[in-house]
PDB file of all heavy atoms in Angstrom:
ATOM      1  N   GLY A   1      -2.689 -26.141   4.947  1.00  0.00           N
ATOM      2  CA  GLY A   1      -4.123 -25.949   4.952  1.00  0.00           C
ATOM      3  C   GLY A   1      -4.529 -24.532   4.615  1.00  0.00           C
ATOM      4  O   GLY A   1      -3.700 -23.667   4.339  1.00  0.00           O
ATOM      5  N   SER A   2      -5.835 -24.298   4.669  1.00  0.00           N
ATOM      6  CA  SER A   2      -6.390 -23.006   4.285  1.00  0.00           C
ATOM      7  C   SER A   2      -7.392 -22.516   5.317  1.00  0.00           C
ATOM      8  O   SER A   2      -8.047 -23.304   5.997  1.00  0.00           O
ATOM      9  CB  SER A   2      -7.084 -23.093   2.922  1.00  0.00           C
ATOM     10  OG  SER A   2      -6.185 -23.460   1.901  1.00  0.00           O
ATOM     11  N   LEU A   3      -7.501 -21.208   5.409  1.00  0.00           N
ATOM     12  CA  LEU A   3      -8.503 -20.554   6.227  1.00  0.00           C
ATOM     13  C   LEU A   3      -8.980 -19.311   5.504  1.00  0.00           C
ATOM     14  O   LEU A   3      -8.233 -18.711   4.729  1.00  0.00           O
ATOM     15  CB  LEU A   3      -7.952 -20.148   7.594  1.00  0.00           C
ATOM     16  CG  LEU A   3      -7.770 -21.226   8.656  1.00  0.00           C
ATOM     17  CD1 LEU A   3      -7.080 -20.633   9.872  1.00  0.00           C
ATOM     18  CD2 LEU A   3      -9.107 -21.834   9.049  1.00  0.00           C
ATOM     19  N   ARG A   4     -10.206 -18.924   5.786  1.00  0.00           N
ATOM     20  CA  ARG A   4     -10.748 -17.680   5.270  1.00  0.00           C
ATOM     21  C   ARG A   4     -11.219 -16.834   6.433  1.00  0.00           C
ATOM     22  O   ARG A   4     -12.170 -17.195   7.131  1.00  0.00           O
ATOM     23  CB  ARG A   4     -11.906 -17.930   4.314  1.00  0.00           C
ATOM     24  CG  ARG A   4     -12.355 -16.680   3.560  1.00  0.00           C
ATOM     25  CD  ARG A   4     -13.684 -16.897   2.874  1.00  0.00           C
ATOM     26  NE  ARG A   4     -14.000 -15.820   1.941  1.00  0.00           N
ATOM     27  CZ  ARG A   4     -15.229 -15.583   1.482  1.00  0.00           C
ATOM     28  NH1 ARG A   4     -16.240 -16.349   1.850  1.00  0.00           N
ATOM     29  NH2 ARG A   4     -15.422 -14.586   0.625  1.00  0.00           N
ATOM     30  N   LEU A   5     -10.559 -15.716   6.635  1.00  0.00           N
ATOM     31  CA  LEU A   5     -10.912 -14.806   7.697  1.00  0.00           C
ATOM     32  C   LEU A   5     -11.867 -13.736   7.182  1.00  0.00           C
ATOM     33  O   LEU A   5     -11.786 -13.325   6.025  1.00  0.00           O
ATOM     34  CB  LEU A   5      -9.667 -14.131   8.273  1.00  0.00           C
ATOM     35  CG  LEU A   5      -8.519 -15.053   8.696  1.00  0.00           C
ATOM     36  CD1 LEU A   5      -7.403 -14.235   9.322  1.00  0.00           C
ATOM     37  CD2 LEU A   5      -9.005 -16.132   9.648  1.00  0.00           C
ATOM     38  N   SER A   6     -12.749 -13.288   8.058  1.00  0.00           N
ATOM     39  CA  SER A   6     -13.700 -12.248   7.709  1.00  0.00           C
ATOM     40  C   SER A   6     -13.587 -11.103   8.697  1.00  0.00           C
ATOM     41  O   SER A   6     -13.374 -11.314   9.896  1.00  0.00           O
ATOM     42  CB  SER A   6     -15.136 -12.789   7.717  1.00  0.00           C
ATOM     43  OG  SER A   6     -15.307 -13.801   6.758  1.00  0.00           O
ATOM     44  N   CYS A   7     -13.743  -9.900   8.198  1.00  0.00           N
ATOM     45  CA  CYS A   7     -13.763  -8.698   9.014  1.00  0.00           C
ATOM     46  C   CYS A   7     -14.985  -7.895   8.616  1.00  0.00           C
ATOM     47  O   CYS A   7     -15.031  -7.324   7.521  1.00  0.00           O
ATOM     48  CB  CYS A   7     -12.488  -7.879   8.817  1.00  0.00           C
ATOM     49  SG  CYS A   7     -12.496  -6.268   9.636  1.00  0.00           S
ATOM     50  N   ALA A   8     -15.960  -7.859   9.493  1.00  0.00           N
ATOM     51  CA  ALA A   8     -17.199  -7.148   9.229  1.00  0.00           C
ATOM     52  C   ALA A   8     -17.170  -5.787   9.905  1.00  0.00           C
ATOM     53  O   ALA A   8     -16.905  -5.690  11.102  1.00  0.00           O
ATOM     54  CB  ALA A   8     -18.389  -7.964   9.719  1.00  0.00           C
ATOM     55  N   ALA A   9     -17.454  -4.754   9.140  1.00  0.00           N
ATOM     56  CA  ALA A   9     -17.440  -3.390   9.640  1.00  0.00           C
ATOM     57  C   ALA A   9     -18.857  -2.855   9.761  1.00  0.00           C
ATOM     58  O   ALA A   9     -19.727  -3.148   8.941  1.00  0.00           O
ATOM     59  CB  ALA A   9     -16.624  -2.485   8.719  1.00  0.00           C
ATOM     60  N   SER A  10     -19.065  -2.046  10.787  1.00  0.00           N
ATOM     61  CA  SER A  10     -20.349  -1.394  10.982  1.00  0.00           C
ATOM     62  C   SER A  10     -20.114  -0.038  11.627  1.00  0.00           C
ATOM     63  O   SER A  10     -19.042   0.235  12.155  1.00  0.00           O
ATOM     64  CB  SER A  10     -21.280  -2.245  11.842  1.00  0.00           C
ATOM     65  OG  SER A  10     -20.739  -2.443  13.138  1.00  0.00           O
ATOM     66  N   GLY A  11     -21.128   0.808  11.579  1.00  0.00           N
ATOM     67  CA  GLY A  11     -21.025   2.128  12.167  1.00  0.00           C
ATOM     68  C   GLY A  11     -20.728   3.196  11.134  1.00  0.00           C
ATOM     69  O   GLY A  11     -21.086   3.062   9.964  1.00  0.00           O
ATOM     70  N   SER A  12     -20.056   4.246  11.555  1.00  0.00           N
ATOM     71  CA  SER A  12     -19.735   5.378  10.698  1.00  0.00           C
ATOM     72  C   SER A  12     -18.483   5.082   9.896  1.00  0.00           C
ATOM     73  O   SER A  12     -17.365   5.152  10.416  1.00  0.00           O
ATOM     74  CB  SER A  12     -19.551   6.640  11.543  1.00  0.00           C
ATOM     75  OG  SER A  12     -20.719   6.940  12.288  1.00  0.00           O
ATOM     76  N   ILE A  13     -18.667   4.765   8.631  1.00  0.00           N
ATOM     77  CA  ILE A  13     -17.547   4.370   7.782  1.00  0.00           C
ATOM     78  C   ILE A  13     -17.351   5.330   6.617  1.00  0.00           C
ATOM     79  O   ILE A  13     -16.727   4.970   5.616  1.00  0.00           O
ATOM     80  CB  ILE A  13     -17.737   2.938   7.253  1.00  0.00           C
ATOM     81  CG1 ILE A  13     -19.037   2.831   6.447  1.00  0.00           C
ATOM     82  CG2 ILE A  13     -17.744   1.955   8.411  1.00  0.00           C
ATOM     83  CD1 ILE A  13     -19.237   1.476   5.792  1.00  0.00           C
ATOM     84  N   PHE A  14     -17.858   6.548   6.743  1.00  0.00           N
ATOM     85  CA  PHE A  14     -17.805   7.486   5.629  1.00  0.00           C
ATOM     86  C   PHE A  14     -16.383   7.781   5.172  1.00  0.00           C
ATOM     87  O   PHE A  14     -16.127   7.897   3.970  1.00  0.00           O
ATOM     88  CB  PHE A  14     -18.499   8.794   6.024  1.00  0.00           C
ATOM     89  CG  PHE A  14     -19.854   8.619   6.624  1.00  0.00           C
ATOM     90  CD1 PHE A  14     -20.043   8.780   7.983  1.00  0.00           C
ATOM     91  CD2 PHE A  14     -20.937   8.294   5.835  1.00  0.00           C
ATOM     92  CE1 PHE A  14     -21.290   8.622   8.542  1.00  0.00           C
ATOM     93  CE2 PHE A  14     -22.190   8.132   6.382  1.00  0.00           C
ATOM     94  CZ  PHE A  14     -22.365   8.297   7.742  1.00  0.00           C
ATOM     95  N   SER A  15     -15.483   7.940   6.111  1.00  0.00           N
ATOM     96  CA  SER A  15     -14.113   8.310   5.789  1.00  0.00           C
ATOM     97  C   SER A  15     -13.185   7.118   5.615  1.00  0.00           C
ATOM     98  O   SER A  15     -11.988   7.302   5.429  1.00  0.00           O
ATOM     99  CB  SER A  15     -13.547   9.227   6.876  1.00  0.00           C
ATOM    100  OG  SER A  15     -13.499   8.566   8.126  1.00  0.00           O
ATOM    101  N   ILE A  16     -13.720   5.919   5.666  1.00  0.00           N
ATOM    102  CA  ILE A  16     -12.917   4.710   5.549  1.00  0.00           C
ATOM    103  C   ILE A  16     -12.828   4.303   4.088  1.00  0.00           C
ATOM    104  O   ILE A  16     -13.829   3.909   3.486  1.00  0.00           O
ATOM    105  CB  ILE A  16     -13.494   3.573   6.393  1.00  0.00           C
ATOM    106  CG1 ILE A  16     -13.588   3.996   7.863  1.00  0.00           C
ATOM    107  CG2 ILE A  16     -12.649   2.323   6.230  1.00  0.00           C
ATOM    108  CD1 ILE A  16     -12.262   4.383   8.472  1.00  0.00           C
ATOM    109  N   ASN A  17     -11.640   4.381   3.528  1.00  0.00           N
ATOM    110  CA  ASN A  17     -11.426   4.024   2.135  1.00  0.00           C
ATOM    111  C   ASN A  17     -10.548   2.802   1.949  1.00  0.00           C
ATOM    112  O   ASN A  17     -10.434   2.307   0.832  1.00  0.00           O
ATOM    113  CB  ASN A  17     -10.803   5.195   1.377  1.00  0.00           C
ATOM    114  CG  ASN A  17     -11.707   6.401   1.338  1.00  0.00           C
ATOM    115  OD1 ASN A  17     -12.901   6.285   1.047  1.00  0.00           O
ATOM    116  ND2 ASN A  17     -11.143   7.565   1.619  1.00  0.00           N
ATOM    117  N   ALA A  18      -9.940   2.335   3.010  1.00  0.00           N
ATOM    118  CA  ALA A  18      -9.060   1.187   2.921  1.00  0.00           C
ATOM    119  C   ALA A  18      -9.107   0.397   4.218  1.00  0.00           C
ATOM    120  O   ALA A  18      -9.288   0.960   5.295  1.00  0.00           O
ATOM    121  CB  ALA A  18      -7.624   1.620   2.622  1.00  0.00           C
ATOM    122  N   MET A  19      -8.926  -0.904   4.091  1.00  0.00           N
ATOM    123  CA  MET A  19      -8.888  -1.775   5.254  1.00  0.00           C
ATOM    124  C   MET A  19      -7.724  -2.735   5.110  1.00  0.00           C
ATOM    125  O   MET A  19      -7.271  -3.016   4.000  1.00  0.00           O
ATOM    126  CB  MET A  19     -10.199  -2.542   5.419  1.00  0.00           C
ATOM    127  CG  MET A  19     -11.403  -1.648   5.639  1.00  0.00           C
ATOM    128  SD  MET A  19     -12.926  -2.572   5.944  1.00  0.00           S
ATOM    129  CE  MET A  19     -12.561  -3.273   7.557  1.00  0.00           C
ATOM    130  N   GLY A  20      -7.271  -3.227   6.237  1.00  0.00           N
ATOM    131  CA  GLY A  20      -6.144  -4.131   6.206  1.00  0.00           C
ATOM    132  C   GLY A  20      -6.221  -5.198   7.272  1.00  0.00           C
ATOM    133  O   GLY A  20      -6.909  -5.040   8.283  1.00  0.00           O
ATOM    134  N   TRP A  21      -5.520  -6.280   7.006  1.00  0.00           N
ATOM    135  CA  TRP A  21      -5.331  -7.351   7.963  1.00  0.00           C
ATOM    136  C   TRP A  21      -3.916  -7.281   8.510  1.00  0.00           C
ATOM    137  O   TRP A  21      -2.957  -7.146   7.746  1.00  0.00           O
ATOM    138  CB  TRP A  21      -5.570  -8.716   7.327  1.00  0.00           C
ATOM    139  CG  TRP A  21      -7.016  -9.087   7.189  1.00  0.00           C
ATOM    140  CD1 TRP A  21      -7.788  -8.980   6.081  1.00  0.00           C
ATOM    141  CD2 TRP A  21      -7.837  -9.656   8.208  1.00  0.00           C
ATOM    142  NE1 TRP A  21      -9.051  -9.438   6.332  1.00  0.00           N
ATOM    143  CE2 TRP A  21      -9.113  -9.863   7.632  1.00  0.00           C
ATOM    144  CE3 TRP A  21      -7.632 -10.012   9.538  1.00  0.00           C
ATOM    145  CZ2 TRP A  21     -10.173 -10.405   8.360  1.00  0.00           C
ATOM    146  CZ3 TRP A  21      -8.682 -10.549  10.255  1.00  0.00           C
ATOM    147  CH2 TRP A  21      -9.936 -10.740   9.665  1.00  0.00           C
ATOM    148  N   TYR A  22      -3.813  -7.386   9.820  1.00  0.00           N
ATOM    149  CA  TYR A  22      -2.539  -7.399  10.507  1.00  0.00           C
ATOM    150  C   TYR A  22      -2.448  -8.662  11.342  1.00  0.00           C
ATOM    151  O   TYR A  22      -3.464  -9.285  11.656  1.00  0.00           O
ATOM    152  CB  TYR A  22      -2.385  -6.179  11.418  1.00  0.00           C
ATOM    153  CG  TYR A  22      -2.594  -4.849  10.722  1.00  0.00           C
ATOM    154  CD1 TYR A  22      -3.868  -4.378  10.446  1.00  0.00           C
ATOM    155  CD2 TYR A  22      -1.510  -4.058  10.361  1.00  0.00           C
ATOM    156  CE1 TYR A  22      -4.067  -3.165   9.821  1.00  0.00           C
ATOM    157  CE2 TYR A  22      -1.695  -2.835   9.736  1.00  0.00           C
ATOM    158  CZ  TYR A  22      -2.972  -2.394   9.469  1.00  0.00           C
ATOM    159  OH  TYR A  22      -3.156  -1.183   8.855  1.00  0.00           O
ATOM    160  N   ARG A  23      -1.240  -9.026  11.703  1.00  0.00           N
ATOM    161  CA  ARG A  23      -1.072 -10.171  12.585  1.00  0.00           C
ATOM    162  C   ARG A  23       0.025  -9.886  13.591  1.00  0.00           C
ATOM    163  O   ARG A  23       0.944  -9.112  13.326  1.00  0.00           O
ATOM    164  CB  ARG A  23      -0.756 -11.447  11.806  1.00  0.00           C
ATOM    165  CG  ARG A  23       0.580 -11.445  11.080  1.00  0.00           C
ATOM    166  CD  ARG A  23       0.700 -12.694  10.232  1.00  0.00           C
ATOM    167  NE  ARG A  23       1.964 -12.755   9.508  1.00  0.00           N
ATOM    168  CZ  ARG A  23       2.248 -13.674   8.599  1.00  0.00           C
ATOM    169  NH1 ARG A  23       1.349 -14.617   8.299  1.00  0.00           N
ATOM    170  NH2 ARG A  23       3.423 -13.665   7.987  1.00  0.00           N
ATOM    171  N   GLN A  24      -0.100 -10.522  14.740  1.00  0.00           N
ATOM    172  CA  GLN A  24       0.873 -10.364  15.799  1.00  0.00           C
ATOM    173  C   GLN A  24       1.058 -11.691  16.512  1.00  0.00           C
ATOM    174  O   GLN A  24       0.109 -12.241  17.071  1.00  0.00           O
ATOM    175  CB  GLN A  24       0.438  -9.289  16.789  1.00  0.00           C
ATOM    176  CG  GLN A  24       1.477  -8.973  17.845  1.00  0.00           C
ATOM    177  CD  GLN A  24       1.109  -7.768  18.684  1.00  0.00           C
ATOM    178  OE1 GLN A  24      -0.065  -7.441  18.845  1.00  0.00           O
ATOM    179  NE2 GLN A  24       2.117  -7.095  19.212  1.00  0.00           N
ATOM    180  N   ALA A  25       2.266 -12.189  16.467  1.00  0.00           N
ATOM    181  CA  ALA A  25       2.620 -13.389  17.198  1.00  0.00           C
ATOM    182  C   ALA A  25       3.098 -13.000  18.588  1.00  0.00           C
ATOM    183  O   ALA A  25       3.538 -11.869  18.810  1.00  0.00           O
ATOM    184  CB  ALA A  25       3.708 -14.161  16.453  1.00  0.00           C
ATOM    185  N   PRO A  26       3.016 -13.907  19.548  1.00  0.00           N
ATOM    186  CA  PRO A  26       3.468 -13.598  20.904  1.00  0.00           C
ATOM    187  C   PRO A  26       4.903 -13.097  20.925  1.00  0.00           C
ATOM    188  O   PRO A  26       5.798 -13.715  20.348  1.00  0.00           O
ATOM    189  CB  PRO A  26       3.329 -14.931  21.638  1.00  0.00           C
ATOM    190  CG  PRO A  26       2.254 -15.654  20.898  1.00  0.00           C
ATOM    191  CD  PRO A  26       2.448 -15.269  19.458  1.00  0.00           C
ATOM    192  N   GLY A  27       5.112 -11.965  21.581  1.00  0.00           N
ATOM    193  CA  GLY A  27       6.434 -11.386  21.679  1.00  0.00           C
ATOM    194  C   GLY A  27       6.922 -10.681  20.440  1.00  0.00           C
ATOM    195  O   GLY A  27       8.061 -10.208  20.414  1.00  0.00           O
TER     196      GLY A  27
END
């Protein structure tokens, strides 16, 4: 199957030039 994840940013983002998705499984 498929999913589409979204990450919405707000606030002071002047110095933010890159974003990433990370994942962590239990343990």
Side-chain angles (χ1 to χ4, degrees):
S2 299
L3 283 174
R4 190 193 191 198
L5 308 184
S6 298
C7 173
S10 62
S12 301
I13 59 175
F14 310 105
S15 62
I16 302 301
N17 297 313
M19 298 184 68
W21 280 99
Y22 306 79
R23 66 186 180 187
Q24 186 171 26

